[in-house]
Amino acid sequence: MRRLPAVLAAAALLTLATGCGSLAPPGQQTAAEPRLEDSRPVRDGGTAVIGLKSDPDMLDPSLTGTLVARTVFTSMCEQLYDVDRNNRFVPQLAASLPKISKDGKTFTFDVRRDARFSDGAKLDAKAVKISLDRHLHLKGSGRASEIDSVEKVEAIAPYTVRLTLDHADTPLLGRLANTAGLIMSPKAIEKYGRDFATHPSCVGPFKYDKRVIGDRIELKKDPLYYDADNVHLDGVTYKTITDGNIRLANLRSGDVQIGDQMGPVEVKSAMGDNELQLLNTPSLGYMAITLNVGNTDGIDKPPGKLDTPFGRDVRVREAFDLALDRKLINKVVFQDMYAPACGPVPPGTPLSTPVTCPGRDVEKAKKLLKEAGVKTPVPLELMINTTPEDNRLGQVVQSMAKEAGFDVRLRPTEFATGLTRTLAGDFQARTGGWGGQPDPAGNIDSLVGTNGSNNQGKLSDPTIDRLISEGRSTADVSERKEIYRQLTEAINKQHSVLYLYRNINYAVAAQDISGIALSGDGLIRVKEAGYVKGAQG
């Protein structure tokens, strides 16, 4: 077998035990181990096509809620901060790390002086203020709860920003190194308002050119970009190809150069192809089943009372959880290439603690349903994505749940439609995941906090809310570690978000392209990518 090419190293912080060692030839690294970046010399020119697993939602940093949109943003919208290969926060559009007051309630930082947005507007402190205020106050903003500690944003000098917080917020820097730190052109915000997504303008190596919904997004190299000399490609096209087998076929035909979010079946096939290279990193995120327990009027409204067996009684939710065998799901659906998950905090990271996944217990599940007084089989509509992988997952869940007294009906739904239904509260249960952030607060607060802007099932629990607040208010590592242990326990006790597995981030690329970076959050970065000298493209 061929030697796998090197890829971006995930930091020791991200190194997870995932049981994928069987993929590597004898004497070589396992697929779970971090690797160095592929740095073969490249030429200027050409367009790279990236095959996406699903169609991104709105290209609006305030309103987006999908990993695939974040993947597109890596090429066209930079953040205030980023995370380097050693998992340290580094400035991106900010010119410095923030100066934090002793009480943790003031963040002050400078912004770059050499950056312009793709529409020609200048990046300065005022532009940053306009974007952060929009994240905080735009109706339906997915960023609002992520940075809700920010009480006031001020441009105190032409290139200096001060954030005044209403309480200390240790994870805030991590959020500014994520979607909440994406900065938009103030000119475009003023001109297009809520229609920003149709004319997005940011600071990035590439700029928006056009989009065909459900098919592709085309970006072109931005000559105004402050580091344009290090951008080699003329453009990047993101093409939606939901079936992993078809993405792989397009890679082999040369119609696609990089395949995003490749599944285990495609990865094993790609490993035998000398024309392809495999990139992989451990994941910071998770995949789960989210049960609707209180989303009666939409995600932007307060939790309501859902009059269903799952909404009324936690024992029904616990019984459904006990019907599932996470190890078997990983083996049958994902060929043992992933790892069972039972919490939002990635194992092997500084704030993680050991968590024992609940074992399958059909008899206890039946007993809980009897105690809850529900008529069996308990009906449940499970919304799944329209991919072969999700279909396999749904069928396995359906079969397992049936033995415990549930009648699971699968509803395959196109990704964008499913997201719209979820946000509106028009679902009973859905499969889905979270790309993950280095600080565990990024995997928890907005997803299960009562006022969380990504709390799809509208779980509301005072214990969870209290622990979320405590986790944000201290910087002591040992204290935070214990808080997130308790948080994981409290979340699992509600059986509203059923963590199923933690994947490996896999991307497959053509051998004639180099300089691709794949990080622990699953995002492909192509700022410095290009065709290897002598290759066509």
Side-chain angles (χ1 to χ4, degrees):
M1 294 179 71
R2 65 186 174 86
R3 186 182 70 84
L4 294 179
V7 300
L8 178 68
L13 181 66
L14 309 183
T15 304
L16 313 179
T18 53
C20 295
S22 61
L23 288 180
Q28 296 185 15
Q29 291 175 308
T30 66
E33 290 181 302
R35 307 177 191 282
L36 297 176
E37 188 174 359
D38 181 359
S39 56
R40 291 172 292 165
V42 299
R43 62 173 176 83
D44 291 335
T47 296
V49 179
I50 301 176
L52 297 178
K53 183 178 180 180
S54 54
D55 198 40
D57 61 346
M58 291 176 285
L59 295 181
D60 184 324
S62 297
L63 299 175
T64 185
T66 63
L67 179 66
V68 282
R70 286 191 61 210
T71 296
V72 177
F73 285 139
T74 61
S75 292
M76 60 178 280
C77 286
E78 289 193 339
Q79 305 160 167
L80 288 171
Y81 295 96
D82 204 357
V83 180
D84 69 9
R85 68 181 62 191
N86 295 312
N87 219 42
R88 297 171 301 206
F89 294 116
V90 293
Q92 193 172 56
L93 292 183
S96 62
L97 289 172
K99 296 177 181 178
I100 304 174
S101 61
K102 288 184 178 181
D103 63 2
K105 293 184 178 182
T106 303
F107 277 50
T108 306
F109 58 89
D110 294 327
V111 299
R112 302 186 69 102
R113 295 171 180 253
D114 58 351
R116 287 190 176 275
F117 296 95
S118 60
D119 61 5
K122 191 174 184 179
L123 175 74
D124 56 15
K126 184 179 179 181
V128 172
K129 171 179 167 55
I130 290 171
S131 278
L132 294 181
D133 280 341
R134 186 176 189 269
H135 287 332
L136 281 165
H137 305 301
L138 182 68
K139 183 179 180 181
S141 171
R143 314 287 75 80
S145 68
E146 295 175 359
I147 55 173
D148 60 1
S149 61
V150 178
E151 191 173 63
K152 183 166 58 174
V153 183
E154 298 174 279
I156 60 174
Y159 293 94
T160 305
V161 178
R162 181 168 63 203
L163 308 181
T164 302
L165 316 185
D166 60 14
H167 61 268
D169 188 1
T170 299
L172 179 61
L173 178 58
R175 296 190 179 98
L176 296 178
N178 205 270
T179 317
L182 291 171
I183 305 301
M184 299 159 279
S185 165
K187 183 194 295 186
I189 289 174
E190 181 179 6
K191 183 174 181 179
Y192 301 111
R194 289 190 68 90
D195 292 329
F196 177 90
T198 61
H199 302 84
S201 176
C202 303
V203 176
F206 302 92
K207 63 179 180 178
Y208 178 83
D209 185 36
K210 64 181 178 180
R211 178 176 190 177
V212 179
I213 298 294
D215 182 54
R216 66 187 185 278
I217 297 168
E218 296 182 11
L219 309 181
K220 301 297 183 185
K221 181 177 177 178
D222 186 358
L224 298 179
Y225 182 55
Y226 62 87
D227 197 24
D229 289 347
N230 287 318
V231 179
H232 305 290
L233 293 169
D234 291 331
V236 181
T237 296
Y238 292 90
K239 188 168 181 61
T240 301
I241 307 174
T242 58
D243 190 316
N245 288 315
I246 297 177
R247 287 203 302 282
L248 184 59
N250 275 260
L251 279 159
R252 286 177 166 147
S253 70
D255 293 326
V256 166
Q257 283 70 52
I258 305 169
D260 184 35
Q261 296 186 63
M262 302 300 285
V265 172
E266 297 80 50
V267 167
K268 285 192 173 183
S269 178
M271 290 185 70
D273 192 328
N274 291 328
E275 299 301 315
L276 300 175
Q277 54 176 309
L278 174 67
L279 296 81
N280 65 94
T281 62
S283 173
L284 289 169
Y286 60 80
M287 296 297 290
I289 292 176
T290 298
L291 298 170
N292 189 354
V293 296
N295 190 347
T296 56
D297 301 304
I299 199 168
D300 58 340
K301 300 294 192 302
K305 291 188 179 297
L306 202 65
D307 191 22
T308 67
F310 287 87
R312 289 192 300 264
D313 199 322
V314 68
R315 289 173 295 186
V316 176
R317 304 197 295 271
E318 182 179 1
F320 185 75
D321 198 354
L322 288 170
L324 305 180
D325 186 329
R326 287 160 172 79
K327 289 184 179 179
L328 189 58
I329 287 172
N330 181 41
K331 182 176 182 178
V332 172
V333 182
F334 306 110
Q335 303 187 27
D336 264 342
M337 288 175 65
Y338 295 159
C342 23
V345 184
T349 58
L351 296 180
S352 68
T353 53
V355 180
T356 302
C357 289
R360 188 173 192 239
D361 193 333
V362 173
E363 292 308 311
K364 184 176 179 180
K366 290 179 178 178
K367 182 180 178 182
L368 285 169
L369 291 180
K370 186 175 181 179
E371 290 174 358
V374 294
K375 182 180 178 180
T376 56
V378 182
L380 179 69
E381 182 181 271
L382 177 61
M383 186 162 56
I384 60 175
N385 293 325
T386 54
T387 66
E389 193 173 81
D390 270 65
N391 187 55
R392 291 196 301 270
L393 174 62
Q395 289 178 350
V396 171
V397 169
Q398 183 182 55
S399 177
M400 289 178 173
K402 182 177 181 179
E403 295 180 25
F406 294 93
D407 177 22
V408 176
R409 300 181 301 264
L410 302 180
R411 183 162 182 172
T413 308
E414 188 273 327
F415 182 76
T417 302
L419 182 61
T420 299
R421 285 187 55 199
T422 299
L423 297 179
D426 182 21
F427 77 106
Q428 293 181 340
R430 69 160 297 166
T431 57
W434 186 249
Q437 299 181 20
D439 192 295
N443 288 8
I444 295 173
D445 297 9
S446 75
L447 293 128
V448 293
T450 296
N451 297 317
S453 50
N454 295 300
N455 185 349
Q456 297 178 347
K458 299 305 286 186
L459 171 64
S460 180
D461 182 293
T463 299
I464 292 174
D465 292 342
R466 173 181 58 81
L467 289 168
I468 284 174
S469 179
E470 291 178 4
R472 295 169 68 167
S473 61
T474 178
D476 185 273
V477 173
S478 60
E479 288 182 17
R480 294 192 78 209
K481 188 171 184 176
E482 173 59 19
I483 289 168
Y484 289 113
R485 184 196 67 77
Q486 293 180 36
L487 251 175
T488 298
E489 186 177 275
I491 295 167
N492 287 343
K493 188 177 180 180
Q494 286 295 330
H495 304 280
S496 171
V497 180
L498 311 182
Y499 304 99
L500 292 183
Y501 62 93
R502 186 162 280 109
N503 64 326
I504 301 292
N505 296 316
Y506 288 113
V508 176
Q511 282 283 15
D512 60 359
I513 196 165
S514 179
I516 307 163
L518 180 67
S519 58
D521 54 15
L523 303 179
I524 294 172
R525 292 170 168 84
V526 292
K527 171 187 171 180
E528 297 182 5
Y531 286 93
V532 177
K533 289 184 177 181
Q536 299 296 315

